[in-house]
Amino acid sequence: MLIDLAQQYDSQKITYLRELWEKVILQLANSHDHKKLFSFLNKVGIIDIDEKEKIVYIGVSNEFVLTQVKKFFQKSLKEAIESIYNPQFGIKVLVYPPFLNGSELLLNLKKILKVSDDKIEPLLSRKEVKHELTEHFGILFEPVFRFDTFVVGSATMIAFSAAKAVAEQPGTAYNPLFLYGNVGLGKTHLMQAIGNEIMQRYPDKVVVYFPATKLIDEIISATRTNKLPNLYKKFEGVDVLMIDDIQFLAEKEKTQEIFHTIFNDFQSQKKQVIMSSDRPPKELLHIEPRLKSRFALGLVADIKSPDFETRIAILQTKLAAKGEALDTHLLELIAKHIKDNVRELEWALNILLTRKKILHIELGEQDVVECLKTLWYSIDSDRSFTQVVNTKGVQNFGQLVEMVSSYYSIGVADLKSETRTKEVTVPRQILMYLAKKHFHWTFEKIGDYFGGKNHASVIYAVDNIEKKLKNDEDIQHDYQVFMEWLGN
């Protein structure tokens, strides 16, 4: 629909679009630094106006500028168009290749903004490159994951010491560092602690962390759009590469081939690589032997289940971070039965503290019993516990619904009702999302299951959770819990 060739514009239209863009620039100049405007909007301009859809199309020269314009100027541009052109019009910013080599639609911003050559800074400073890569790869470090919040025990001493050494001298000590262990034992915590420490010690280093599934998505997207050189170029700007759950590269032959190239580039330049997995390199299934051998070139460190004393220490540390306290015998009861998953220890505390807050009670043994039931432990007559469903034991959607209802302390009937309180709506929408994404149910089937919800309501619920998973920490946490139950 958009015009792609400059010669298709007549002189009258070119003049009109240029004049409108100049008015926009002058309005932006009232509230933005002129050097910043020149740096990012020098090869930007209005390329079309759709009167029917009420959209002003703004073209930029490349994807980097697109990211920056959306980040720094989206709101201001929209306000300027509303003020100068029409309050009913919106904007859409998109890459317009002709702007790379100049166009009659572009303005001389240096003249308009009165910016002298000696005041113009390079478009891509090291800081901006770092920011751009962070924006592109999209996953940042959680500040709570630090070395001083990681409880060290005999089962994690080697992995912890290695992680600290890597954070102090990235690319020198243990490269690559390969951490492995079962789900919920602290691999992600250690990896993110490394990232946080490196960024504090070396502010100029570009540190990128993401799950292997995102690496796969990046490579598939680059391959599909014939932009592999662009992807390689982005990785060239990264100093420390961290990949979580590397086992998910299994059977992805093309991805493994491309990652092999990226990995070798990092090694040859002595740039740090850190990986995690649920098993050591030699036990990785359907991973190329040449990759497995490279994964083991540095240090392979396992993270085992914490002993009883360490589990108590973990619970006490988590409580202190929350500004809470519980009787020691209650912590011992939790630690006695939750042995193999640090995340479950924290889940248990969250459930207990929520129970305390909502019911306004002093917690006792029976509350711990109810908490462990919520985490799918059964209680024998002598109050010994056995876990009847482990984190990979959910067999069907109905079982998941029961577990989620227990987790949130609401009834299954409430989840299927018309109730629209946040306490019920959020769990219901998460379940709808899981029904679609994990169980591959149709929207109609999901609607029928949840009391005859219409097609549009289900689509809204799925889309809403998909958006919130990007920035809502509470939903991210709960979703991760349920994915653990499903074995993901």
Side-chain angles (χ1 to χ4, degrees):
M1 172 226 154
L2 288 174
I3 301 171
D4 289 327
L5 300 174
Q7 58 263 35
Q8 291 183 269
Y9 293 99
D10 59 40
S11 59
Q12 185 177 0
K13 185 167 186 177
I14 290 172
T15 301
Y16 181 75
L17 294 179
R18 282 171 57 90
E19 289 177 351
L20 177 57
W21 182 238
E22 182 173 352
K23 292 177 183 177
V24 169
I25 291 294
L26 291 173
Q27 177 156 321
L28 293 180
N30 293 326
S31 56
H32 290 273
D33 179 77
H34 288 198
K35 290 182 293 182
K36 191 172 184 179
L37 284 174
F38 178 83
S39 294
F40 292 111
L41 301 184
N42 188 39
K43 290 191 175 183
V44 176
I46 295 175
I47 57 176
D48 206 358
I49 300 175
D50 190 326
E51 297 291 345
K52 182 178 179 181
E53 298 295 332
K54 292 184 169 51
I55 295 175
V56 174
Y57 288 92
I58 298 173
V60 303
S61 56
N62 58 49
E63 290 184 2
F64 172 73
V65 177
L66 178 68
T67 301
Q68 304 308 312
V69 169
K70 285 186 174 181
K71 179 174 180 61
F72 295 115
F73 303 107
Q74 180 92 9
K75 183 179 179 182
S76 299
L77 284 170
K78 185 175 185 302
E79 290 174 348
I81 291 297
E82 289 174 346
S83 171
I84 296 166
Y85 185 69
N86 191 317
Q88 296 181 348
F89 274 61
I91 65 168
K92 185 170 183 179
V93 186
L94 68 165
V95 175
Y96 184 64
F99 280 172
L100 274 173
N101 302 313
S103 165
E104 292 179 279
L105 294 173
L106 294 174
L107 302 176
N108 184 346
L109 291 198
K110 190 187 298 184
K111 181 179 179 181
I112 293 172
L113 297 172
K114 297 181 174 61
V115 178
S116 59
D117 290 334
D118 60 340
K119 291 184 178 180
I120 298 174
E121 298 175 354
L123 180 63
L124 293 177
S125 68
R126 176 65 176 169
K127 182 177 180 181
E128 288 165 338
V129 168
K130 179 175 180 178
H131 180 78
E132 154 67 0
L133 288 168
T134 301
E135 286 283 311
H136 175 80
F137 290 116
I139 296 182
L140 302 176
F141 298 99
E142 295 291 343
V144 70
F145 291 133
R146 306 186 308 274
F147 287 119
D148 62 356
T149 61
F150 187 91
V151 179
V152 185
S154 58
T156 56
M157 179 61 74
I158 293 177
F160 180 83
S161 299
K164 285 273 288 182
V166 166
E168 290 168 4
Q169 292 184 303
T172 304
Y174 311 125
N175 192 20
L177 175 62
F178 192 101
L179 304 173
Y180 76 92
N182 289 331
V183 171
L185 294 181
K187 299 188 300 296
T188 299
H189 187 142
L190 271 185
M191 290 185 74
Q192 293 222 1
I194 294 171
N196 281 319
E197 183 78 7
I198 290 175
M199 289 196 301
Q200 183 175 348
R201 285 175 175 265
Y202 305 96
D204 289 337
K205 284 193 179 296
V206 177
V207 186
V208 169
Y209 162 89
F210 49 76
T213 51
K214 181 167 176 60
L215 173 66
I216 294 168
D217 290 343
E218 291 280 348
I219 291 174
I220 289 174
S221 176
T223 303
R224 188 180 65 247
T225 57
N226 296 316
K227 292 183 178 179
L228 267 179
N230 292 356
L231 183 63
Y232 286 134
K233 188 70 176 176
K234 289 183 185 297
F235 277 110
E236 284 178 13
V238 176
D239 300 299
V240 180
L241 177 62
M242 313 177 78
I243 308 291
D244 214 350
D245 291 321
I246 200 74
Q247 70 271 13
F248 289 125
L249 293 186
E251 299 182 338
K252 308 291 191 302
E253 294 179 5
K254 183 65 175 178
T255 298
Q256 290 182 39
E257 178 185 336
I258 293 169
F259 181 63
H260 181 264
T261 301
I262 294 169
F263 185 92
N264 282 347
D265 287 344
F266 270 74
Q267 287 290 103
S268 65
Q269 297 176 57
K270 299 188 182 304
K271 297 196 294 186
Q272 184 70 49
V273 179
I274 305 154
M275 294 166 285
S276 79
S277 176
D278 60 354
R279 67 203 75 178
K282 64 181 181 180
E283 295 180 13
L284 290 170
L285 302 176
H286 307 297
I287 299 287
E288 290 183 12
R290 60 177 181 167
L291 271 180
K292 290 195 285 187
S293 66
R294 281 164 173 75
F295 292 168
L297 284 174
L299 177 70
V300 178
D302 65 334
I303 301 178
K304 299 185 179 72
S305 300
D307 56 29
F308 178 76
E309 290 76 12
T310 304
R311 297 199 297 276
I312 293 292
I314 290 170
L315 289 168
Q316 290 172 334
T317 301
K318 299 292 185 184
L319 278 171
K322 298 174 186 292
E324 298 280 356
L326 288 178
D327 289 341
T328 302
H329 80 281
L330 298 181
L331 299 183
E332 290 175 348
L333 188 57
I334 296 171
K336 180 181 177 182
H337 298 99
I338 300 179
K339 301 177 181 179
D340 301 316
N341 194 313
V342 174
R343 286 184 199 158
E344 278 199 357
L345 292 173
E346 185 167 12
W347 298 343
L349 282 184
N350 289 340
I351 292 168
L352 283 173
L353 295 175
T354 300
R355 187 179 182 88
K356 177 182 177 182
K357 180 179 179 180
I358 292 175
L359 300 179
H360 304 288
I361 59 172
E362 289 299 319
L363 297 172
E365 282 193 15
Q366 187 57 39
D367 297 293
V368 177
V369 170
E370 295 301 322
C371 165
L372 292 171
K373 282 183 179 179
T374 299
L375 292 174
W376 224 251
Y377 287 79
S378 66
I379 298 94
D380 296 335
S381 56
D382 63 351
R383 275 204 171 173
S384 63
F385 294 77
T386 57
Q387 192 175 19
V388 296
V389 178
N390 62 25
T391 56
K392 295 187 179 181
V394 177
Q395 302 299 318
N396 57 62
F397 187 67
Q399 187 180 25
L400 177 65
V401 172
E402 291 179 7
M403 293 171 71
V404 170
S405 68
S406 295
Y407 181 86
Y408 288 107
S409 299
I410 57 178
V412 173
D414 291 325
L415 292 170
K416 297 182 178 183
S417 70
E418 295 297 324
T419 303
R420 295 187 179 181
T421 61
K422 182 179 179 181
E423 290 75 13
V424 175
T425 299
V426 171
R428 180 192 294 140
Q429 290 185 346
I430 293 176
L431 281 167
M432 287 181 174
Y433 181 82
L434 287 169
K436 182 63 179 175
K437 299 295 183 179
H438 185 84
F439 291 91
H440 308 295
W441 283 15
T442 64
F443 290 125
E444 289 78 10
K445 183 176 181 180
I446 297 170
D448 289 342
Y449 185 91
F450 286 95
K453 302 291 186 295
N454 62 47
H455 189 269
S457 296
V458 178
I459 292 176
Y460 171 79
V462 172
D463 289 346
N464 188 45
I465 294 301
E466 193 160 45
K467 292 175 183 176
K468 288 187 175 180
L469 279 171
K470 296 177 181 178
N471 51 34
D472 190 311
E473 292 183 2
D474 291 334
I475 289 180
Q476 289 170 353
H477 174 273
D478 292 352
Y479 177 74
Q480 185 60 45
V481 172
F482 306 148
M483 290 302 288
E484 295 283 352
W485 289 348
L486 290 166
N488 289 69

